[in-house]
Amino acid sequence: MKRETLHEVICQVSPQAVVELCSKLVGIPSTSGREEKIAHFLSDLLKSLGYDIVTTDDMGNVVGRQMFNPGGKRLLFESQMDHVDVRDAIEWSFYPYGGIVNNGHLCGRGAVDAKGSLAAMIIAASELKRHAKFLGLSGELAVACVVNQEVAEGVASSKVHELFEPDGVVIGEASNLNIKRGQRGRAELIVEVQGKSAHTSLPLSGVNAAEKMVFLLTYIRQHFLPPRHYLLGDGILVLTDLTTSPSSGTSVLPDRCVATFDRRLLSWRDGRASPGRNFAPDITCKGH
């Protein structure tokens, strides 16, 4: 029989199959820590698609493995199956767990981050196995459906890497269909400001921690610009949470204010910045 090329196999894959699978995945709510239902679905799906080995580790990650001819590399496709919560479904244009296709777009919570890439990876590995003897593939390909990425990024992934020991990894994240060679690391930064408590009827006898924090946040916004990497893009610093204590409604000035930032860091492999920028290299980050 004729030996197929990888391009020919790709052309035979039905985009509709990927869309339908993604729609089914979107239809299963799977907030971080509550992935049991989608994990069972994925485990059964991988088995039904003929994956050689399907396992669920003690963290809840579901991994399907396809074995090819001996002597090749071990490649890992990895994407998360959890997503952030839906605050108010009434505010959505489409039901967040409907997986509805509208004007060429699949709408729903987790469709982009990252059930779309997960569906594509599952279908791709299945098709490669189905055409394996015509492609002459060797090595091993695993698809990891990872849990709890939204709240503990990288923790569950480390378990997969420990057990599978891949030679290469492809992470499924939104990239506008472009292949990216790296990603920004992530740090959660907590800034705490202390004040002095006093009754709100006598504010001058205390120090309002919230007002001090507002001054600090304004200064940071005006004077700190994260550097840019020629390959990975802009570093990011985003305020995600702001709390005071005692809480509002107590007629007492807050003596403590805490700000939480999400900081997307850049790993500078060779120290080069983009033209026109004169920043020192950002913090080098390993992991998350």
Side-chain angles (χ1 to χ4, degrees):
M1 299 185 72
K2 176 191 171 187
R3 179 164 178 162
E4 296 175 295
T5 67
L6 184 58
H7 176 72
E8 289 173 332
V9 171
I10 292 172
C11 290
Q12 295 176 43
V13 177
S14 167
Q16 188 61 29
V18 179
V19 172
E20 289 177 0
L21 176 54
C22 181
S23 179
K24 290 178 181 178
L25 296 179
V26 169
I28 306 174
S30 53
T31 52
S32 302
R34 298 181 176 179
E35 301 99 336
E36 295 91 345
K37 186 175 180 180
I38 195 170
H40 287 306
F41 173 84
L42 287 167
S43 179
D44 291 342
L45 173 68
L46 295 177
K47 292 173 184 176
S48 70
L49 289 175
Y51 276 68
D52 295 317
I53 302 173
V54 179
T55 58
T56 301
D57 63 31
D58 53 10
M59 285 192 176
N61 303 309
V62 177
V63 181
R65 296 164 64 177
Q66 301 282 39
M67 318 297 287
F68 301 103
N69 294 322
K73 300 289 188 179
R74 298 160 67 89
L75 178 63
L76 173 65
F77 285 173
E78 181 184 308
S79 194
Q80 70 193 75
M81 57 173 143
D82 64 316
H83 57 75
V84 296
D85 204 357
V86 174
R87 298 288 295 177
D88 189 352
I90 295 178
E91 295 182 356
W92 285 61
S93 300
F94 299 92
Y95 178 57
Y97 300 118
I100 298 170
V101 177
N102 180 63
N103 292 328
H105 298 278
L106 196 153
C107 306
R109 173 58 84 204
V112 172
D113 190 14
K115 292 180 177 180
S117 61
L118 185 58
M121 288 174 168
I122 290 171
I123 297 295
S126 175
E127 289 297 308
L128 287 175
K129 182 66 174 183
R130 194 161 68 90
H131 296 267
K133 66 179 179 179
F134 305 116
L135 290 170
L137 299 177
S138 60
E140 184 176 350
L141 173 61
V143 177
C145 316
V146 179
V147 301
N148 226 27
Q149 287 292 84
E150 293 293 347
V151 296
E153 189 175 358
V155 175
S157 296
S158 64
K159 184 67 174 180
V160 175
H161 295 190
E162 174 188 328
L163 295 175
F164 185 65
E165 297 182 341
D167 294 297
V169 182
V170 177
I171 305 267
E173 290 286 352
S175 63
N176 201 28
L177 298 182
N178 294 314
I179 296 176
K180 305 295 185 181
R181 289 183 289 168
Q183 74 168 51
R184 293 170 292 194
R186 177 180 179 272
E188 186 175 274
L189 306 180
I190 298 176
V191 179
E192 181 176 334
V193 169
Q194 296 287 342
K196 180 181 178 183
S197 185
H199 198 277
T200 53
S201 62
L202 298 168
L204 295 181
S205 63
V207 178
N208 192 325
E211 291 182 351
K212 292 176 65 178
M213 180 64 82
V214 168
F215 175 82
L216 176 60
L217 294 178
T218 302
Y219 182 87
I220 292 173
R221 186 174 183 84
Q222 292 176 347
H223 296 280
F224 177 71
L225 179 64
R228 176 179 176 79
H229 188 272
Y230 74 99
L231 176 63
L232 302 179
D234 292 319
I236 293 174
L237 180 70
V238 180
L239 179 67
T240 58
D241 191 39
L242 191 62
T243 59
T244 60
S245 60
S247 60
S248 59
T250 58
S251 298
V252 176
L253 293 185
D255 61 2
R256 182 173 180 264
C257 187
V258 178
T260 303
F261 291 90
D262 189 296
R263 179 76 169 93
R264 301 292 165 146
L265 298 154
L266 306 175
S267 178
W268 288 63
R269 293 175 181 254
D270 58 6
R272 285 189 290 166
S274 62
R277 296 284 186 125
N278 187 26
F279 292 117
D282 204 356
I283 298 171
T284 298
C285 229
K286 293 183 178 179
H288 302 279

